[in-house]
Amino acid sequence: MKCLSIIFFVALGLSIGSATAWLTIGTSRTPLVETLEALPRQNPDPRDNPVALSRTLRRQLEAMETSLPAFPSIRKMHEIWRQLEDLSVAEVKDLIGHLTTTYPRNQQRHLIASMALKRWAMMEPELAVGWLLERPIPYSISYVFPQVFQQLVEQDLDLAFEKLTTIRNVNRHSDALQLALVALAATEPQRAAELCESMPPQARGQAEQAIAVHWAQAEPQAAADYFLHHGRATNNQALGQILDIWSRQDARAALAWLRSQHLNGDVRNRHRERLLDGLARQSPDEAARLLDDLPSEARRLHTDTLARAWAQHDPNEAAEWARSLTTPQERTNAIGTTAMNRAHTNIDLAMELIDELPGTTLRHEVFEAVADARAQVN
């Protein structure tokens, strides 16, 4: 009991002493207190300084909120956008300030605030981006940051790159950098690709693909060389997209380039199959000629690829090509693949091709495909 009494009085003394000390410091206005009070508050609550609206603007906001259902149609959102377009820059900024510093924060108000931010960014992109970076905003409208930054990219790319140095949030920086790099790729693709290396690995892939598409339009070989030797992997999607574009421009050159690279078999075959598949959909005759130039093992491997793509484009021509093949295994595979790919849409041709197949497992598979097609037709 005595011990408990001691603890109680010690605690009471400490509390009184602390309170007295704080009162003394507060009254004396020491330099330390004045310095602390002069420091800016970190991440202030926006509701500390709510933004008031003029009577006219308040009525317009009330009308917008009333007209917006929980799940507005595109037409209704367009109507709200037209109303925002009629507002001055100052009114749009007041509206944003009011919606982000007052309650309630419902779905309608979040939507109006997001649209207003996009509208402001079209008029004053640098200020809109700065406003989003300088203060905490409701999470529900933070998703518009990329769209706001895009306006700055479109109006002043150099300034957008300068602004990147002020973005501390990792996710926002990644989003903004990707937008800026894609825009830069239209004029300086290699520089954009080099800068892309600074992005986090999980975000780099999408930017690489966008840059690759821009670069391949003008310089497919330069783009392919870069992404093969500097990309994250020899089988990345960026290289695949470059080869797709290159094959539409000059498939022979793309295949020759691929043949000259020191790639392992799986990677080379995967890219070659992609090239032949794309070419077969546009110029199957050309694809067939390129297939003839390949070594026997590669030709056997890619015969099915050409047969499948050609059958979707012109099944009769695909069938004639398959029949013309001189190697028995290649001919059998091509005829079977053509028949199976047209079984659901051209049963007569499929049945005709079946008669030309030997009695193998492939023939039974084609029979099953034709039977399924007949059942669907009937």
Side-chain angles (χ1 to χ4, degrees):
M1 187 70 179
K2 182 177 181 181
C3 181
L4 290 174
S5 299
I6 293 172
I7 293 173
F8 171 77
F9 283 108
V10 169
L12 180 61
L14 289 172
S15 300
I16 294 172
S18 298
T20 304
W22 276 109
L23 287 173
T24 303
I25 292 173
T27 303
S28 61
R29 305 291 298 170
T30 65
L32 175 61
V33 172
E34 292 177 354
T35 301
L36 290 173
E37 289 181 348
L39 290 174
R41 294 178 55 187
Q42 298 298 316
N43 296 323
D45 189 332
R47 287 170 289 133
D48 287 349
N49 299 290
V51 176
L53 296 179
S54 66
R55 180 179 302 177
T56 301
L57 195 53
R58 186 171 63 251
R59 288 176 179 172
Q60 287 179 286
L61 174 59
E62 290 171 354
M64 291 180 191
E65 290 184 79
T66 303
S67 67
L68 271 179
F71 300 98
S73 64
I74 297 297
R75 181 173 176 272
K76 179 56 66 176
M77 292 175 65
H78 181 67
E79 291 177 2
I80 298 298
W81 182 258
R82 293 296 298 272
Q83 295 179 57
L84 292 172
E85 286 183 323
D86 292 335
L87 300 180
S88 66
V89 175
E91 289 174 324
V92 170
K93 292 161 69 173
D94 283 347
L95 187 62
I96 295 168
H98 178 78
L99 289 169
T100 55
T101 59
T102 59
Y103 280 112
R105 292 181 178 173
N106 53 37
Q107 185 174 344
Q108 285 83 355
R109 289 168 71 90
H110 290 158
L111 179 58
I112 295 170
S114 300
M115 295 176 70
L117 273 167
K118 297 174 195 175
R119 177 58 184 155
W120 183 21
M122 294 178 69
M123 298 183 287
E124 296 179 335
E126 182 183 4
L127 295 179
V129 169
W131 185 89
L132 279 171
L133 295 176
E134 290 167 2
R135 55 181 44 75
I137 58 173
Y139 175 77
S140 55
I141 65 170
S142 62
Y143 74 93
V144 301
F145 176 76
Q147 300 169 54
V148 171
F149 194 82
Q150 178 65 37
Q151 293 298 322
L152 181 59
V153 167
E154 292 177 2
Q155 295 189 34
D156 192 332
L157 183 56
D158 290 337
L159 182 58
F161 272 104
E162 288 180 19
K163 207 71 175 178
L164 279 167
T165 62
T166 68
I167 302 176
R168 298 289 176 259
N169 180 279
V170 175
N171 292 330
R172 284 188 176 182
H173 185 274
S174 179
D175 290 340
L177 179 58
Q178 180 173 325
L179 292 170
L181 290 178
V182 170
L184 179 64
T187 56
E188 298 181 66
Q190 182 166 343
R191 182 186 169 208
E194 291 168 351
L195 291 171
C196 190
E197 293 298 319
S198 66
M199 296 186 71
Q202 64 273 19
R204 192 186 308 156
Q206 189 174 355
E208 282 183 339
Q209 292 177 53
I211 292 167
V213 168
H214 280 289
W215 199 349
Q217 300 289 345
E219 299 177 305
Q221 183 170 341
D225 285 336
Y226 180 87
F227 280 103
L228 176 63
H229 300 296
H230 297 87
R232 291 168 295 152
T234 56
N235 62 342
N236 62 51
Q237 292 184 336
L239 181 57
Q241 287 187 310
I242 292 167
L243 292 176
D244 283 345
I245 295 170
W246 197 357
S247 69
R248 293 194 290 271
Q249 298 173 359
D250 189 343
R252 282 188 180 277
L255 279 170
W257 175 88
L258 187 61
R259 192 179 305 167
S260 69
Q261 304 305 314
H262 300 291
L263 302 174
N264 68 57
D266 289 340
V267 173
R268 183 178 60 253
N269 289 335
R270 183 160 51 248
H271 286 310
R272 187 161 52 199
E273 181 174 356
R274 187 166 185 163
L275 279 171
L276 288 170
D277 183 77
L279 181 61
R281 297 175 189 279
Q282 300 174 44
S283 179
D285 289 335
E286 178 70 7
R289 286 192 292 272
L290 291 176
L291 191 65
D292 289 339
D293 294 338
L294 297 178
S296 58
E297 180 61 25
R299 188 171 61 248
R300 182 193 62 77
L301 182 65
H302 297 299
T303 295
D304 286 353
T305 300
L306 178 54
R308 181 173 56 254
W310 200 342
Q312 294 173 0
H313 173 70
D314 190 326
N316 291 314
E317 287 189 4
E320 290 304 315
W321 168 76
R323 290 172 174 136
S324 72
L325 296 175
T326 56
T327 305
Q329 187 61 53
E330 291 178 12
R331 182 177 184 276
T332 297
N333 290 346
I335 289 176
T337 300
T338 302
M340 291 182 67
N341 275 273
R342 304 319 300 167
H344 293 275
T345 58
N346 193 332
I347 294 176
D348 292 338
L349 176 60
M351 292 296 291
E352 182 182 327
L353 292 171
I354 285 174
D355 291 336
E356 302 177 30
L357 292 171
T360 61
T361 302
L362 179 60
R363 185 172 186 176
H364 292 298
E365 290 176 357
V366 176
F367 267 124
E368 291 177 1
V370 171
D372 289 342
R374 284 185 180 279
Q376 292 181 18
V377 171
N378 296 332

